[in-house]
């Protein structure tokens, strides 16, 4: 029997953690493993390889069946969901040889799980994600995080995120750094899909792009303020969706740059847009990794980024980075990059290929089981 690999996450939404899961799932399918993806919501913005078995255990149904109000007792609610996941996995999938639990909510739920071989995958920096709770209730927050991340070994998607974890809660469990996989062949193939740029009012290599959800951590406010200070030789294309989208549109109007900023919404396949861009930007306030950086590298597209905690500095040279919040510096770097685009092309690290990353998780799991 081939080893059973189980990847758990909230839903297959179009973000970095979900791209990691779909890419890694395919890599394990290529290794002919028995690969499963389990979600807690039905939302599916991203496709899975046909060889991957897809499961949904809706947590809202668990809350309803057991008459639990998660807002009043989240720990009790998540413990009930963990029991439900355990029962489902053992009866419908079997005993996994490796379980990768992705993102904080799943990490918390799986802290109550009795399943073996669980590894928490941290996709961001905890000190940034929990910045406000750490200020408001530091002891309670740190004790909670020790409970969540002390339950199972942890893998972080950048070494900066791992060091952040250790600094915050101490060495409460085994940890490692395993970067997110970059499916170069898939990205390059997807980038060749026919796309009429004219429908968006843009031309090949005649625009710059940011692909990110409209969330405060992604730094759209700073990006627009910086872009307004540039020569604006190329329009700025924003791909993504999120709760701040209307606010950012209003800001573009207020800054008088709405004729130069194009909102394209969520794109299931953003790669033709990335490949056709003159420059890709990442202006996050914090990241665990910075997926769009390596995706641009796979397509030989120049990249500049904020030097945010913690991923970009492990993927890009110093010349391609600007401090978070330095709007004038970002404006200058954008204009410099447009003046000399080839100077900001960085080759992809071949160790980020999916088969390498898949084997690293297996090696970490085998160490834990030895």
């Amino acid at each position: 029997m081939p080893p059973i690999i189980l990847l758990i996450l909230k839903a297959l939404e179009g973000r970095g953690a979900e791209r990691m899961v779909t890419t890694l799932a395919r890599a394990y399918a290529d290794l002919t493993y028995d690969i499963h993806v389990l979600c807690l919501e039905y939302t599916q913005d991203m496709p899975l390889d046909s060889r991957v078995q897809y499961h949904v255990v809706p947590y809202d149904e668990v809350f309803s069946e057991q008459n639990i109000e998660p807002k009043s007792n989240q720990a009790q609610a998540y413990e009930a969901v963990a029991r439900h996941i355990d029962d489902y996995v053992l009866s419908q999938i079997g005993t996994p040889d490796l379980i990768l639990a992705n993102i904080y909510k799943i990490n918390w739920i799986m802290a109550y799980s009795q399943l073996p071989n669980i590894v928490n995958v941290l996709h961001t920096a905890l000190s940034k994600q929990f910045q406000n709770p750490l200020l408001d209730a530091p002891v309670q927050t740190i004790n909670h995080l020790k409970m969540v991340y002390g339950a199972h070994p942890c893998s972080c998607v950048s070494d900066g995120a791992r060091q952040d974890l250790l600094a915050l809660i101490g060495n409460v469990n085994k940890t490692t750094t395993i970067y997110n996989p970059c499916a170069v062949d898939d990205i390059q193939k997807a980038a060749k899909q026919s796309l009429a740029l004219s429908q968006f009012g843009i031309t090949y290599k005649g625009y710059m792009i940011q692909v990110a959800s409209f969330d405060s951590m992604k730094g759209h406010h700073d990006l627009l303020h910086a872009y307004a200070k540039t020569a604006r030789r190329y329009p700025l294309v924003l791909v993504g969706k999120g709760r701040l989208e209307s606010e950012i549109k209003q800001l573009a109007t207020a800054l008088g740059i709405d004729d130069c900023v194009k909102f394209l919404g969520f794109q299931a396949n953003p790669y033709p847009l990335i490949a056709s861009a003159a420059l890709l930007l990442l202006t996050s306030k914090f990241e665990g990794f910075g997926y769009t950086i390596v995706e641009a590298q796979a397509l030989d597209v120049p990249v500049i980024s904020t030097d945010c905690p913690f991923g970009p500095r492990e993927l890009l040279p110093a010349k391609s980075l600007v401090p978070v919040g330095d709007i004038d510096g970002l404006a200058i770097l954008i204009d410099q990059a447009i003046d000399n685009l080839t100077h900001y092309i960085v080759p992809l690290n071949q160790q980020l290929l999916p088969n390498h990353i898949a084997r690293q998780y297996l090696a970490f799991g085998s160490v834990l089981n030895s």
Side-chain angles (χ1 to χ4, degrees):
M1 291 288 291
I4 298 174
I5 310 293
L6 174 62
L7 310 180
I8 307 178
L9 72 169
K10 184 168 72 76
L12 284 171
E13 298 169 312
R15 300 182 181 180
E18 292 78 8
R19 291 204 294 281
M20 173 268 198
V21 165
T22 56
T23 300
L24 203 56
R26 179 170 182 174
Y28 284 122
D30 289 341
L31 292 170
T32 68
Y33 286 11
D34 186 3
I35 177 68
H36 301 257
V37 168
L38 187 149
C39 294
L40 303 186
E41 295 178 4
Y42 285 104
T43 303
Q44 186 174 1
D45 295 329
M46 305 189 72
L48 280 171
D49 187 283
S50 60
R51 297 167 294 176
V52 179
Q53 298 184 59
Y54 175 53
H55 310 262
V56 180
V57 177
Y59 55 165
D60 55 349
E61 291 182 11
V62 178
F63 301 152
S64 177
E65 288 172 5
Q66 302 200 20
N67 197 28
I68 296 173
E69 176 50 58
K71 289 183 180 179
S72 61
N73 195 332
Q74 210 159 18
Q76 179 190 9
Y78 283 2
E79 190 171 2
V81 173
R83 287 196 301 269
H84 200 76
I85 291 173
D86 287 3
D87 292 343
Y88 180 92
V89 169
L90 293 175
S91 63
Q92 303 298 319
I93 297 174
T95 302
D97 295 276
L98 177 65
I99 299 172
L100 300 182
N102 295 269
I103 73 170
Y104 160 69
K105 180 178 284 188
I106 303 300
N107 300 151
W108 186 1
I109 290 171
M110 297 307 289
Y112 302 110
S113 172
Q114 300 301 309
L115 292 172
N117 309 321
I118 297 173
V119 172
N120 285 323
V121 182
L122 282 74
H123 291 264
T124 192
L126 288 184
S127 67
K128 299 297 182 181
Q129 184 178 2
F130 289 89
Q131 187 168 3
N132 290 333
L134 284 166
L135 289 173
D136 297 338
V139 174
Q140 182 181 357
T141 302
I142 289 174
N143 286 339
H144 168 71
L145 293 174
K146 283 182 177 179
M147 183 279 291
V148 171
Y149 294 105
H152 307 295
C154 299
S155 176
C156 301
V157 297
S158 67
D159 196 55
R162 176 174 173 266
Q163 296 303 325
D164 178 75
L165 170 69
L166 293 173
L168 187 63
I169 65 172
N171 193 15
V172 298
N173 216 319
K174 293 182 179 179
T175 63
T176 192
T177 299
I178 301 178
Y179 290 119
N180 278 332
C182 182
V184 175
D185 292 343
D186 293 346
I187 290 170
Q188 292 175 347
K189 181 179 178 182
K192 293 177 181 177
Q193 180 179 315
S194 178
L195 181 68
L197 297 176
S198 58
Q199 67 180 301
F200 305 119
I202 53 179
T203 59
Y204 180 75
K205 297 299 180 182
Y207 60 93
M208 60 187 79
I209 190 170
Q210 173 151 295
V211 182
S213 58
F214 286 92
D215 184 278
S216 57
M217 66 170 281
K218 295 300 183 179
H220 287 91
H221 287 87
D222 287 356
L223 172 58
L224 261 61
H225 280 287
Y227 179 68
K229 292 175 176 285
T230 69
R232 300 204 295 278
R233 279 167 286 177
Y234 290 161
L236 172 62
V237 170
L238 301 178
V239 175
K241 63 180 182 179
R243 60 185 179 85
L244 297 181
E245 184 173 357
S246 61
E247 183 179 318
I248 299 302
K249 288 180 177 177
Q250 291 171 16
L251 178 59
T253 301
L255 292 170
I257 57 173
D258 49 313
D259 59 330
C260 301
V261 181
K262 300 182 181 297
F263 294 81
L264 271 54
F266 172 77
Q267 299 286 327
N269 178 13
Y271 301 117
L273 287 165
I274 296 174
S276 299
L279 176 69
L280 182 132
L281 307 126
L282 186 145
T283 58
S284 297
K285 297 182 183 300
F286 66 92
E287 286 282 350
F289 181 63
Y291 232 127
T292 57
I293 292 175
V294 296
E295 291 172 334
Q297 290 173 341
L299 297 170
D300 294 321
V301 174
V303 186
I304 59 174
S305 172
T306 49
D307 186 16
C308 65
F310 286 99
R313 69 187 64 165
E314 297 177 41
L315 303 169
L316 292 171
K319 69 182 180 184
S320 304
L321 301 170
V322 64
V324 174
D326 185 356
I327 292 172
D328 289 338
L330 178 58
I332 291 169
L333 183 57
I334 289 172
D335 279 337
Q336 286 177 344
I338 293 299
D339 285 339
N340 192 0
L341 289 167
T342 57
H343 194 58
Y344 293 90
I345 296 175
V346 177
L348 179 74
N349 180 352
Q350 295 300 297
Q351 291 303 308
L352 298 179
L353 295 178
N355 62 323
H356 291 298
I357 302 301
R359 294 183 190 280
Q360 286 181 47
Y361 277 112
L362 293 172
F364 185 52
S366 67
V367 168
L368 298 173
N369 295 326
S370 62

